[in-house]
Amino acid sequence: MKNNKILVFFFSLFCTVSGIAQKEEEKKISQEFEFEIAAEYRYFIDEGQFNGQENHYPSVSFQPEYALDWNKGYESVNFKGFLRLDKDKERTHWDIRELYYQKAKGNWELNIGFKKVYWGVTESNHLVDIVNQTDAVETFDGEEKLGQPMVQFSWITNKIGTFDFYYLPYHRKRTFPGEKGRTRFGVVIDKDDIAYESGAQEWRQDMAVRWKHYFGIFDVAFSHFYGNGREPLFVFDNLGNINSFYPVINQTGIEVQVTHSAFLWKLESIYRNAKAQKFIALAAGLEYTFSNINGNGLDIGVLGEYLYDERDELALSALQNDVFFGSRIAFNDTQDTSILIGGIFDIEKSSKIFSIEASRRIANSWTAEVEARIFNDVDTNELILSNFKNDSFLRLSISKFF
């Protein structure tokens, strides 16, 4: 019932803004609609470690997008939806990725509604990216996010940078794979069983602010978030029971990217403070790109990053003292072919994760994607990663755009 309140509020907002748009018809309204259907197949190489897990997971997803703008493009309504049907009932889910009204005027911009924002500069771990909840059943690497209800106000200046202010009135819980799902824990986690530290629960009014600017070759950003954490905290008592809840946190983050010739030097670091937990984490590294090799447009980037998390084995990402090496290949052809190959190596243990992601456009309206994740020699003492040691998989996806 509570979830419906936030949907009703923003649907009312959408209808109101649409009504305004109709009144502004003489100001030249433009509309754009796109619809994507994707068939996906995931094959897990090994038998599941836990009861109920399977090897074959076909699914289908639908992603409609709609944009309406007027007033010479300074006002718009944007919508992006998502629906997946999967064998794992927890992975069968729908979401409003985005549904927001945007107004830009002079040096400021206002966004109201469901929206996705991205913070961060590193490739292998996005520490500072905290506004949106992770869609944990959609991808293993945490790249996909749920739409976040928000009011975002941006003040843009040339001299002192850009200031973004966020009012976040509602917290969305993270969904974990169900009994049939892969890359899950030994105990099936029901999101409804995870409580809140705050008495206001999901209706706690959260805030965030971010400043970003550039100084020559330096791009810098500072951010602070105060509210319900996006990661649940799991606490183990003396009897081995697990207590889980979303803590109220303060998180301060810094992002630095230095562009020098063909080099990109990158740093992300956070300090998170809560009653139950305080820690520092960072990701730092570089990327070097060999451009237009042999004059045929081929770009090959070489990446290396170090990952540290003071929580050690309690880090949900399992990236507590690791190194990442990878290569990004962009063919810059008409089919927009790209490949990302990488590996994460634990410095203290034997655990390794290898990955490959590739995509290519077919004709004008089709796209093919291939993804593979290989969990190799996972140390049995890895509290998080040991749950996924049998979950190496291959994913194939074909998308059609209308």
Side-chain angles (χ1 to χ4, degrees):
M1 188 66 180
K2 289 182 178 179
N3 293 350
N4 292 335
K5 292 180 181 178
I6 198 76
L7 293 175
V8 169
F9 172 77
F10 283 108
F11 179 74
S12 300
L13 173 67
F14 175 73
C15 292
T16 301
V17 173
S18 298
I20 295 173
Q22 295 301 320
K23 294 178 182 179
E24 299 284 334
E25 189 170 4
E26 68 277 6
K27 293 188 177 181
K28 202 173 182 179
I29 293 174
S30 64
Q31 304 179 66
E32 186 175 342
F33 178 77
E34 186 175 276
F35 192 78
E36 176 187 355
I37 300 178
E40 179 187 277
Y41 172 69
R42 292 188 302 160
Y43 171 68
F44 289 84
I45 300 170
D46 300 315
E47 293 297 322
Q49 186 177 178
F50 308 115
N51 292 333
Q53 293 182 320
E54 302 181 20
N55 293 82
H56 305 274
Y57 289 83
S59 69
V60 61
S61 65
F62 306 88
Q63 297 188 71
E65 294 186 35
Y66 175 73
L68 171 74
D69 66 77
W70 66 98
N71 193 13
K72 299 181 180 179
Y74 289 107
E75 294 184 77
S76 64
V77 171
N78 304 274
F79 168 75
K80 182 182 293 185
F82 179 80
L83 169 66
R84 179 174 298 283
L85 303 175
D86 190 271
K87 184 181 293 186
D88 176 12
K89 67 177 183 178
E90 295 298 333
R91 199 168 185 252
T92 295
H93 66 300
W94 67 275
D95 182 45
I96 299 177
R97 296 298 202 216
E98 295 188 316
L99 175 57
Y100 65 94
Y101 163 71
Q102 181 180 84
K103 180 178 177 62
K105 186 174 183 179
N107 65 341
W108 61 265
E109 183 179 285
L110 177 66
N111 296 277
I112 304 175
F114 285 80
K115 195 169 184 283
K116 292 202 299 182
V117 298
Y118 173 75
W119 299 351
V121 293
T122 55
E123 178 67 40
S124 54
N125 197 14
H126 310 303
L127 293 169
V128 301
D129 192 28
I130 194 173
V131 171
N132 291 84
Q133 177 61 275
T134 298
D135 190 344
V137 294
E138 188 58 27
T139 59
F140 172 78
D141 56 14
E143 295 284 348
E144 289 294 334
K145 301 288 184 176
L146 300 177
Q148 170 63 44
M150 70 174 69
V151 177
Q152 176 190 4
F153 179 79
S154 301
W155 180 44
I156 305 153
T157 73
N158 292 325
K159 292 185 178 181
I160 58 175
T162 299
F163 296 85
D164 292 305
F165 303 92
Y166 300 88
Y167 166 60
L168 311 169
Y170 184 80
H171 177 270
R172 305 192 64 187
K173 288 186 173 182
R174 184 176 300 196
T175 300
F176 294 89
E179 184 178 3
K180 288 186 177 181
R182 301 297 290 257
T183 64
R184 71 166 174 87
F185 299 107
V187 177
V188 177
I189 300 175
D190 187 335
K191 69 176 183 178
D192 294 329
D193 292 336
I194 302 179
Y196 286 91
E197 178 184 350
S198 170
Q201 300 184 4
E202 63 265 43
W203 289 100
R204 190 188 188 285
Q205 309 301 285
D206 301 339
M207 302 286 180
V209 60
R210 183 171 183 254
W211 168 82
K212 62 181 178 180
H213 199 31
Y214 64 91
F215 306 90
I217 63 173
F218 294 87
D219 289 279
V220 182
F222 288 96
S223 59
H224 187 79
F225 172 92
Y226 175 53
N228 285 325
R230 275 33 184 171
E231 288 183 347
L233 180 61
F234 296 93
V235 179
F236 300 85
D237 62 23
N238 294 330
L239 299 177
N241 298 316
I242 302 176
N243 299 315
S244 56
F245 63 94
Y246 288 96
V248 176
I249 68 169
N250 277 283
Q251 177 175 303
T252 301
I254 180 174
E255 307 156 57
V256 179
Q257 180 169 287
V258 182
T259 306
H260 178 65
S261 185
F263 282 97
L264 287 177
W265 302 84
K266 305 177 182 183
L267 167 71
E268 284 187 40
S269 184
I270 62 170
Y271 171 65
R272 187 178 297 174
N273 183 0
K275 288 182 180 180
Q277 188 183 65
K278 299 177 183 179
F279 70 91
I280 295 172
L282 68 85
L286 62 87
E287 179 175 352
Y288 183 86
T289 301
F290 300 90
S291 301
N292 195 23
I293 297 175
N294 294 330
N296 60 8
L298 177 66
D299 294 340
I300 299 179
V302 181
L303 304 93
E305 294 176 354
Y306 171 68
L307 312 166
Y308 171 77
D309 194 312
E310 200 174 23
R311 291 173 294 177
D312 198 26
E313 293 181 353
L314 292 177
L316 281 184
S317 66
L319 304 175
Q320 70 274 18
N321 189 18
D322 303 70
V323 291
F324 165 78
F325 296 104
S327 178
R328 192 197 320 274
I329 305 171
F331 290 82
N332 294 313
D333 54 2
T334 55
Q335 290 78 32
D336 197 24
T337 308
S338 65
I339 303 173
L340 177 63
I341 304 172
I344 295 175
F345 305 83
D346 193 306
I347 294 176
E348 299 174 336
K349 300 181 178 68
S350 61
S351 305
K352 295 175 280 291
I353 306 174
F354 299 101
S355 64
I356 180 170
E357 300 174 54
S359 65
R360 179 181 175 88
R361 191 169 63 246
I362 304 172
N364 293 324
S365 59
W366 294 82
T367 298
E369 295 181 358
V370 177
E371 177 186 6
R373 302 276 173 176
I374 306 297
F375 299 93
N376 180 255
D377 200 14
V378 175
D379 194 301
T380 55
N381 293 320
E382 291 265 21
L383 185 62
I384 301 296
L385 204 57
S386 61
N387 293 279
F388 313 142
K389 63 182 181 181
N390 290 1
D391 288 336
S392 298
F393 69 88
L394 173 68
R395 182 182 70 88
L396 304 175
S397 177
I398 299 291
S399 302
K400 168 66 176 177
F401 296 86
F402 297 90

